[in-house]
Amino acid sequence: MSAANTAESADFRGPLDITRAATVVLDAESTVIGWSPAAAELLGYEPAEALGRPLSAFLSVHPVGGTPPAAAAEASGVSEASGVSGAPASTGIGPPSLVGNEIHVAQARDGRELLVATATCPLPGGAADRGPGAPDRILVAAEAGELRHWESRLALLQGLATQSPVGLAIYDTDLRLTWCNTAYEREIGQPLAAFRGMRADELYAGGSFVTPGYPQTLDGVMRQVLETGEPVLDLNFRAQQPSDPGRDHLWSCSYYRLEDAHGHVFGVCEDAFDVTDRYRVQERLALLVEAGRRIGTVLDVATTAEEIAEVAVPDFAATVRVDVTRAAMTGETAAVGSAADMSLLRVADRSEPGAATPDPGLPDPAPRDADRPDPGGPDPGLPGPGVPGPGLLDSGGPETGPPGPGVADPGPLDSADAEGGPRGVSGPANSIGEDRHSYPPVTYPPGSPQHRSLSSGGLVLDEGTLVVPLRAGGGILGLVTFDRCAGPDASGRPPAPDRATTFDNGEVALADELAARAAVCIDNARRYTRERTASLALQRQLLPHHLPPQSAVRTAYRYLPADDVTGVGGDWFDVIPLSGTRVGLVVGDVVGHGLQAAATMGRLRTSVRAFAQLDMAPDELLTRLDDLVGQPAEEPPDAYGGAVETYDVTTGATCLYAVYDPVSRRCVMARAGHLPPAVVDPDGAVSFPDLPAGPPLGLGGLPFESMEFELPVGSLLALFTDGLVEARDHDISHGLDTLGRVLADRSASLEELCDRAVSELVPDGTSADDTALLLVRTRELDAERVAHWELSAEAVSVGRARELATGQLEAWGLEELVFATQLVVSELVTNAVRYAGGPLGLRLIRDRTLVCEVADTGHTSPHLRHSAEDDEGGRGLFIVAQLVQRWGTRYTPTGKTIWTEQALPPADGG
């Protein structure tokens, strides 16, 4: 819908506007002598039925103050017979009772009671001069909810004008300011009358948009919005605020064209919100993200020190120096003691161009400056002992560039200069001790920020210098010094808004976080980090985070691992969407609990999902899963180089798999050594089906069998593991009886049933075994959403199938899918006629997607392939695959079914 059409469709009149409200003309005795069409629409009475009747026949005598109609009628004594109690039936509502907007109970013609807001307007002249039947006053009425909605809109407009923190301004077509709200006045620092009529670029002189792809000036952006009518959202505008000169601000600005009710353009509206603080916070967050990505890439002290310096310069500080204790460099424990006992080495030193600051840790800074290579000059050679960290620079540039072509990659503690990093003096380093001396020692004088930080063990802020200790394991690994110069940025980059020369509280916390990350990377071992990360990933991925909604069932679940330390165990459950709106339900149990059982469970769950997507029958799926579980047992004990695992927790795992079809309401299930599910009929009868008990997975020798039965709509299936019903203080039969008693309550929701089952069967919240419970309430797909036809295996059936599908889609209002569905149906039916036998079945299902199925008696599945230029066939299925979201083959006892799924149009909710 265009903006003009939207404006025309909007109704700017209030609910009690006489041109749209229910209007009633009353005489002096409150008798209805006029009845508008809006009144007839509101209450259902035609004018002929309402004229001449007292107003009390339609409205309560007394206002109700917003109470519900039934309560208001009871409180005021309104009876169903007369409509008024405590007053004669002929007594009307006098003018004093309806002065202003009041809430009354209205009696509609169909018997409904509704709350209406009313207002009365007396007509000129006195009531004494008018006889019965003469107009005395006009009453207007509207539903109370509609009036409340209107008042909310007015309150919203008032809040935007006076209380909103977002600056709002309206510019006319000449881009001159005509109105602004209070927040905008605060930004300008003057009342509206002082700057009305000025252009935006005059108010914010020198400002510009920094968002790429748009004009840089305010006039340019607003002119674009006026001409195109396309709104512009979230453009970043940088300028000095008129009420705060000398300080850059950043605003998030949005613009949209304003039109009247007839679609005439009269200006553009600007929304501006000061995001300077948020911008700085985002910069800090981005720096933290970058630090997490770049700090700690290898387990090397020097590399980690370089990484923190590279991350912090120049975005956070002009100069960063990293000093590490000699003990940390030699691999010893963190230093604990006074500052005098800590010998520090300068491992990293990085500055942005033109921003070098004095270094109190070096006794003679002059040789350091003389020996430091000039970024624009020739290579001066290797630095001598005692010179802080610049490395070899092949052709000028930053001090910490990557190694040039032909430079061999050194080891973690070999020649640091080969990597171009300022780690020390170049030369051979054959031992840790020799490499240690390649980093110059630093000694800070008493009273310096670094010395105070070492003495106190905490961070120290001294004007533009911030010193943060590297702490780990209760000891100090070193120091990080962040320095900011007071001069302007020498790199030529545009400065960030309000870049300070000192550190605020947020930046102090950020520096502390950066140092903490570096300390952790220096102190921790790679194996621990890797194992911990793997453990967390295992916990997140093993079980579904949530079960997606399904048309076939409603679900609820609970999972309680026995190992509350890792939060994972050997039980699992799953709800798997299948073709034809069917759903697969899984619950399983692995021997043991903890990470080892959880890893096994993860493999089994993934395998079940993979097999389920092949539309296998439950017994066939368990057979394939049993074969898969049996394979690890054939591996030799030392297959993994003498791993500590001495038993296989996969063997002996149990599983129950069921498939429910909401079209036929048939459920097929099979189990491998697992407990049967509980089935609750709609009348509350609980049963445990006697499913054929297959052996646990991995044992082999016996086949699995499926059982099929019909489930009435609203039946409840409970799939669970033995940890729920079995405990040390009672046997399984007692647990099953308790579970059946809980599930028999038909008035409770699935979530309530889950909570009750867990609270009664696992009262302490923990058990010796993992516990999983999956509750499923079955649904039936409406007959209007399913269409099925039987066709003969003849060529004429292709056209007939297209006609049937087209007619059904048009009946469903899915004309947009007719073309694609015709191609799909034609290809699938043609393949069935040509390569399979009849009879053929065509089924369309309108669910969350449009499902198209063609069934035949053949047992060969088509395969998607790229056809060669000289091939006469093979392209049809490729075209079908491009038109649909998914497609596949499902085998049945009588043949196979080829199915496809198409996305419904956006306007269709399915």
Side-chain angles (χ1 to χ4, degrees):
M1 179 182 294
S2 66
N5 292 336
T6 303
E8 292 177 359
S9 63
D11 194 344
F12 298 100
R13 300 171 299 170
L16 293 180
D17 190 298
I18 196 170
T19 61
R20 61 174 294 193
T23 306
V24 181
V25 182
L26 304 173
D27 62 8
E29 298 181 355
S30 297
T31 302
V32 177
I33 61 175
W35 192 262
S36 70
E41 182 180 357
L42 178 64
L43 299 180
Y45 292 96
E46 296 297 328
E49 300 175 296
L51 296 179
R53 299 179 63 181
L55 183 60
S56 60
F58 309 103
L59 296 180
S60 62
V61 176
H62 303 290
V64 299
T67 57
E74 180 180 355
S76 60
V78 178
S79 64
E80 297 181 359
S82 63
V84 179
S85 177
S90 61
T91 301
I93 301 177
S97 65
L98 287 181
V99 175
N101 296 342
E102 296 179 341
I103 306 299
H104 288 261
V105 177
Q107 186 72 35
R109 191 176 186 278
D110 57 4
R112 294 181 297 109
E113 290 184 348
L114 61 155
L115 293 177
V116 296
T118 64
T120 303
C121 178
L123 297 177
D129 299 335
R130 299 190 183 99
D136 177 69
R137 62 191 184 278
I138 296 176
L139 180 142
V140 290
E143 291 194 46
E146 187 176 357
L147 179 62
R148 173 56 61 186
H149 178 66
W150 173 255
E151 292 174 345
S152 299
R153 293 169 62 184
L154 294 180
L156 172 63
L157 295 177
Q158 180 68 15
L160 289 175
T162 61
Q163 302 179 32
S164 172
V166 178
L168 300 175
I170 296 178
Y171 295 85
D172 59 18
T173 54
D174 293 330
L175 302 183
R176 296 190 178 276
L177 183 71
T178 60
W179 177 89
C180 69
N181 67 346
T182 304
Y184 198 93
E185 288 183 334
R186 286 195 298 266
E187 289 186 3
I188 302 299
Q190 301 180 40
L192 173 61
F195 56 89
R196 180 188 282 118
M198 297 182 64
R199 303 177 71 90
D201 283 335
E202 296 174 352
L203 295 172
Y204 293 91
S208 63
F209 286 98
V210 297
T211 303
Y214 293 90
Q216 292 190 348
T217 64
L218 289 166
D219 282 3
V221 171
M222 287 192 284
R223 180 64 62 188
Q224 173 182 318
V225 173
L226 280 175
E227 293 175 354
T228 64
E230 295 293 332
V232 177
L233 305 178
D234 195 21
L235 297 187
N236 289 334
F237 180 77
R238 176 180 291 155
Q240 292 188 7
Q241 185 170 298
S243 61
D244 185 19
R247 180 172 179 262
D248 279 350
H249 285 252
L250 192 74
W251 288 270
S252 173
C253 301
S254 300
Y255 300 90
Y256 46 91
R257 193 169 68 184
L258 299 178
E259 302 177 1
D260 59 18
H262 303 288
H264 298 151
V265 178
F266 65 85
V268 59
C269 183
E270 176 188 56
D271 299 352
F273 186 71
D274 194 328
V275 296
T276 304
D277 293 337
R278 186 178 73 184
Y279 178 78
R280 298 188 64 179
V281 171
Q282 288 175 346
E283 283 189 323
R284 296 169 188 171
L285 290 177
L287 186 62
L288 275 180
V289 173
E290 184 70 6
R293 186 179 69 85
R294 296 173 57 182
I295 296 177
T297 57
V298 295
L299 280 179
D300 178 68
V301 174
T303 302
T304 303
E306 274 299 318
E307 288 167 344
I308 188 174
E310 292 172 0
V311 168
V313 175
D315 294 330
F316 184 71
T319 300
V320 174
R321 301 183 179 95
V322 183
D323 305 321
V324 180
T325 62
R326 193 180 301 273
M329 289 297 295
T330 57
E332 301 174 10
T333 58
V336 179
S338 64
D341 299 332
M342 298 181 189
S343 178
L344 297 177
L345 302 175
R346 174 63 49 77
V347 181
D349 186 353
R350 189 178 185 88
S351 300
E352 63 177 331
T357 57
D359 186 0
L362 296 176
D364 186 8
R368 173 181 180 269
D369 294 338
D371 292 340
R372 182 182 297 276
D374 183 3
D379 182 9
L382 302 180
V387 180
L392 270 175
L393 299 179
D394 293 333
S395 58
E399 297 177 3
T400 54
V407 179
D409 184 18
L413 291 177
D414 280 344
S415 177
D417 296 284
E419 295 186 6
R423 302 187 201 168
V425 180
S426 64
N430 299 324
S431 66
I432 293 179
E434 290 179 282
D435 184 77
R436 173 188 61 195
H437 296 293
S438 63
Y439 300 104
V442 290
T443 303
Y444 292 102
S448 64
Q450 293 81 358
H451 188 275
R452 286 149 49 195
S453 178
L454 289 173
S455 301
S456 63
L459 55 86
V460 173
L461 176 61
D462 186 357
E463 296 183 353
T465 301
L466 176 62
V467 182
V468 185
L470 296 170
R471 302 185 61 88
I476 295 180
L477 299 173
L479 295 175
V480 181
T481 302
F482 301 94
D483 270 331
R484 285 183 173 176
C485 60
D489 193 343
S491 65
R493 297 181 307 108
D498 191 25
R499 180 172 181 178
T501 57
T502 184
F503 298 89
D504 58 25
N505 292 335
E507 291 167 333
V508 170
L510 176 60
D512 194 18
E513 175 67 18
L514 291 174
R517 295 193 180 197
V520 169
C521 295
I522 292 173
D523 189 61
N524 283 354
R526 184 196 305 268
R527 183 180 299 275
Y528 172 80
T529 303
R530 181 175 64 248
E531 290 179 356
R532 181 59 178 166
T533 303
S535 175
L536 294 176
L538 187 64
Q539 297 178 39
R540 289 192 298 265
Q541 300 298 329
L542 288 181
L543 291 173
H545 298 283
H546 68 280
L547 298 179
Q550 304 288 336
S551 300
V553 294
R554 287 184 293 128
T555 59
Y557 62 90
R558 295 293 183 271
Y559 179 75
L560 300 176
D563 188 351
D564 55 0
V565 176
T566 60
V568 294
D571 292 6
W572 89 94
F573 62 90
D574 212 344
V575 177
I576 307 172
L578 302 177
S579 62
T581 69
R582 300 171 307 133
V583 62
L585 308 172
V586 191
V587 66
D589 188 359
V590 174
V591 178
H593 51 266
L595 290 177
Q596 185 176 3
T600 302
M601 174 266 287
R603 297 198 303 269
L604 293 179
R605 177 173 176 261
T606 302
S607 301
V608 170
R609 292 188 69 92
F611 290 147
Q613 294 303 320
L614 299 177
D615 284 313
M616 293 183 178
D619 55 345
E620 182 182 359
L621 184 144
L622 292 180
T623 300
R624 297 289 183 89
L625 193 62
D626 181 69
D627 294 340
L628 186 65
V629 169
Q631 291 179 3
E634 301 175 0
E635 298 175 351
D638 59 345
Y640 298 100
V644 298
E645 181 178 343
T646 57
Y647 64 95
D648 182 16
V649 297
T650 309
T651 302
T654 65
C655 181
L656 170 66
Y657 180 63
V659 176
Y660 174 71
D661 188 345
V663 177
S664 63
R665 303 197 314 275
R666 305 291 296 179
C667 182
V668 185
M669 60 179 62
R671 59 180 178 135
H674 202 83
L675 293 173
V679 180
V680 184
D681 294 337
D683 57 2
V686 182
S687 63
F688 295 89
D690 188 15
L691 296 179
L697 298 174
L699 300 182
L702 295 176
F704 299 98
E705 299 182 37
S706 296
M707 171 181 280
E708 182 176 1
F709 48 88
E710 183 175 338
L711 291 176
V713 178
S715 298
L716 177 65
L717 280 177
L719 287 70
F720 52 90
T721 57
D722 55 2
L724 179 67
V725 296
E726 186 179 18
R728 294 187 178 94
D729 56 348
H730 60 77
D731 56 11
I732 290 183
S733 60
H734 178 270
L736 295 176
D737 293 341
T738 303
L739 178 62
R741 175 173 49 81
V742 171
L743 300 179
D745 184 3
R746 298 292 298 174
S747 62
S749 66
L750 294 181
E751 294 292 337
E752 292 174 344
L753 292 177
C754 282
D755 291 336
R756 293 179 188 175
V758 171
S759 62
E760 292 202 23
L761 292 169
V762 192
D764 298 332
T766 58
S767 62
D769 195 5
D770 302 323
T771 299
L773 172 63
L774 175 63
L775 296 185
V776 177
R777 184 88 69 185
T778 62
R779 295 174 173 175
E780 180 183 19
L781 212 59
D782 297 338
E784 298 86 16
R785 294 176 174 264
V786 182
H788 181 269
W789 303 276
E790 187 170 321
L791 306 172
S792 59
E794 301 175 350
V796 295
S797 297
V798 179
R800 175 61 177 163
R802 285 197 300 266
E803 294 176 1
L804 294 172
T806 301
Q808 187 61 56
L809 292 182
E810 292 176 348
W812 282 339
L814 301 178
E815 290 82 0
E816 297 183 29
L817 301 181
V818 168
F819 177 74
T821 306
Q822 285 180 344
L823 292 178
V824 171
V825 169
S826 298
E827 174 64 20
L828 298 185
V829 174
T830 299
N831 286 346
V833 171
R834 179 177 299 179
Y835 302 110
L840 309 179
L842 172 62
R843 185 168 73 165
L844 297 179
I845 301 176
R846 178 173 174 263
D847 189 43
R848 301 177 188 273
T849 59
L850 177 64
V851 180
C852 177
E853 298 181 343
V854 174
D856 56 50
T857 58
H859 293 277
T860 58
S861 175
H863 296 282
L864 188 65
R865 64 184 179 89
H866 288 279
S867 300
E869 295 181 356
D870 55 349
D871 287 347
E872 297 183 358
R875 297 179 178 86
L877 192 59
F878 181 83
I879 296 175
V880 168
Q882 310 308 309
L883 295 175
V884 301
Q885 283 185 328
R886 297 195 309 154
W887 72 278
T889 305
R890 181 173 70 249
Y891 290 97
T892 63
T894 59
K896 70 175 182 300
T897 298
I898 308 297
W899 56 269
T900 66
E901 291 184 3
Q902 301 179 62
L904 296 178
D908 189 274

